[in-house]
Amino acid sequence: MKDAINILGVRIDRLTLDQAEQKIWDFLNHDKLHMVFTPNSEMIMAAREDEELKWVLNEGDMNTADGIGVVYASRILGKPLRERVAGFDLAKRLLEQLPQKGYSLYLLGGAPGVAETAKQKLENQYPGIKIVGTQHGYFKKDEEEQVIRQINEVAPDILFVCLGMSKQEKWIYNNRDKLRAKVCMGIGGSLDVFAGKAKRAPGIYQKLGLEWFYRLIKEPKRYKRMLALPKFAWTVIVEGRNYTWDK
Ligand code: UDP
């Protein structure tokens, strides 16, 4: 059995940031596509009502705990995760090493222009990085084949997929047999941050596990989404132990 924890039906792997990073370098040694998902409490709550999303997440080759809520849930369940492994932090770890390791990267997602800006900024920040393509995330269904063809022409080692929660995980899963990439990671709004269009909370908020609070102050309209947090905690307390460990 994998060293994993089952949170309301979703498998979360018990890995530190260092271990998660290492796992990705290992994935890159194999000629097979690997799906990396980074569920947070919102995604886990969404998966309770969306069987397809739940299925897709559990098919992930690696699922890390993106939010502090997931870490708390693991404590409630008596199988504490050592730390939060946010998709953004994992992506940054990779970016730091990519120039030296030489693996190529493709950026998919965000509003038109965002991936392109992110590419420029990342190239400045990580000289020598090989970003072999970009594509915005608002293509239509009938443009999908073309998007996949463009990605496959350059066959990136790593594909960052930033189409928003649930959409990006399903997109990766549904296209896993078509895509020529070794690691596909769903990392939500990260491209907006790399492009300088959105900011992460200052380190102190992250350390205290209050990033959600910072985002709430910055974007009050997110409050409805945030109500999912206490609901998540309550659901884990009430139902969390009904789920078996071995998935
Ligand atoms: N996004 C996209 N295509 C879509 C929907 C969203 O590329 O059809 C992008 C959006 O521009 C943003 C990112 O996905 O850069 C994350 O969006 P959001 O914050 O809504 O997602 P979540 O926080 O739920 O992951």
Side-chain angles (χ1 to χ4, degrees):
M1 188 185 88
K2 276 190 173 172
D3 190 11
I5 174 168
N6 183 333
I7 302 189
L8 304 180
V10 173
R11 192 196 89 236
I12 300 291
D13 297 314
R14 301 181 79 216
L15 297 164
T16 61
L17 180 57
D18 284 345
Q19 291 167 332
E21 179 194 344
Q22 189 51 52
K23 220 169 159 163
I24 292 186
W25 301 129
D26 294 343
F27 287 160
L28 287 163
N29 280 329
H30 296 94
D31 240 345
K32 161 190 178 293
L33 182 140
H34 296 83
M35 300 181 288
V36 176
F37 302 134
T38 62
N40 57 18
S41 48
E42 223 182 312
M43 210 189 290
I44 293 173
M45 286 305 268
R48 287 181 84 225
E49 274 145 39
D50 181 343
E51 281 297 324
E52 185 193 351
L53 178 61
K54 190 192 282 182
W55 172 268
V56 166
L57 289 175
N58 286 326
E59 289 294 298
D61 294 287
M62 176 164 78
N63 292 342
T64 72
D66 183 79
I68 197 70
V70 182
V71 176
Y72 286 143
S74 72
R75 291 183 193 154
I76 291 169
L77 295 172
K79 258 206 155 187
L81 293 164
R82 263 154 289 177
E83 61 183 346
R84 173 185 178 200
V85 182
F88 180 84
D89 295 330
L90 194 52
K92 270 205 89 173
R93 284 285 188 95
L94 301 180
L95 292 167
E96 281 158 14
Q97 299 283 326
L98 281 184
Q100 178 217 330
K101 299 221 184 226
Y103 291 116
S104 61
L105 172 67
Y106 196 106
L107 309 177
L108 169 65
V114 168
E116 192 51 42
T117 307
K119 175 179 189 287
Q120 285 160 11
K121 297 223 165 165
L122 293 175
E123 282 169 347
N124 287 338
Q125 203 177 344
Y126 305 100
I129 196 167
K130 276 203 286 191
I131 301 182
V132 289
T134 61
Q135 163 65 45
H136 70 73
Y138 291 86
F139 51 88
K140 299 192 193 74
K141 186 76 193 145
D142 61 0
E143 293 168 328
E144 190 170 284
E145 275 203 15
Q146 173 65 14
V147 167
I148 293 173
R149 211 173 310 131
Q150 274 169 26
I151 295 170
N152 288 349
E153 267 167 26
V154 288
D157 293 305
I158 304 172
L159 177 63
F160 284 171
V161 184
C162 304
L163 303 175
M165 175 187 96
S166 158
K167 190 173 176 184
Q168 63 203 11
E169 288 76 19
K170 291 177 185 174
W171 194 87
I172 293 173
Y173 180 77
N174 291 330
N175 294 304
R176 69 195 186 287
D177 294 330
K178 296 187 200 156
L179 286 163
R180 288 183 62 206
K182 289 182 189 160
V183 171
C184 291
M185 287 175 71
I187 49 171
S190 297
L191 285 186
D192 291 317
V193 181
F194 295 137
K197 302 239 181 290
K199 277 211 167 71
R200 276 202 85 191
I204 183 77
Y205 285 86
Q206 294 183 39
K207 277 214 182 73
L208 294 174
L210 291 172
E211 190 163 8
W212 59 272
F213 179 65
Y214 178 83
R215 292 184 82 183
L216 182 60
I217 307 169
K218 290 280 166 194
E219 292 176 76
K221 65 178 183 323
R222 293 182 73 97
Y223 86 93
K224 270 212 184 109
R225 292 176 57 167
M226 303 233 161
L227 289 179
L229 259 176
K231 197 170 164 210
F232 171 70
W234 182 245
T235 311
V236 173
I237 291 168
V238 176
E239 296 178 17
R241 288 177 194 275
N242 299 342
Y243 293 85
T244 56
W245 301 108
D246 44 349
K247 159 68 209 182

